[in-house]
């Protein structure tokens, strides 16, 4: 038994989806890229943190918590 077919009364639109990005969706990646590029070009501006490394500090706190 064949099923009845439906005929389209409205023509199919062939246009693309009209989407607009907010201004910050383009500005933030560009800003991050420029900042990283500036660090690569002039690495003397990138200073390491003084004192013990953060990972060593975290491991030390973890050991103290486990040994208690």
């Amino acid at each position: 038994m064949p099923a009845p077919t439906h005929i389209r009364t409205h023509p199919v639109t062939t246009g693309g989806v009209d989407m607009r990005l907010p201004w910050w969706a383009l500005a933030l990646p560009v800003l991050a890229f420029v900042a990283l590029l500036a660090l690569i070009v002039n690495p003397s501006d990138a200073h390491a943190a003084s004192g013990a490394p953060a990972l060593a500090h975290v491991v030390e706190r973890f050991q103290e918590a486990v040994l208690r």
Side-chain angles (χ1 to χ4, degrees):
M1 175 187 285
T5 58
H6 298 286
I7 299 173
R8 292 184 182 165
T9 57
H10 302 293
V12 178
T13 58
T14 59
V17 177
D18 186 23
M19 288 182 48
R20 294 187 57 181
L21 291 174
W23 65 268
W24 51 265
L26 184 62
L28 290 180
V30 168
L31 181 64
F33 178 77
V34 169
L36 290 174
L37 187 63
L39 287 177
I40 291 172
V41 170
N42 193 4
S44 64
D45 291 341
H47 301 289
S50 62
L55 183 59
H57 186 68
V58 170
V59 171
E60 181 181 330
R61 293 288 185 176
F62 180 73
Q63 286 177 346
E64 289 177 3
V66 171
L67 293 177
R68 286 185 185 180

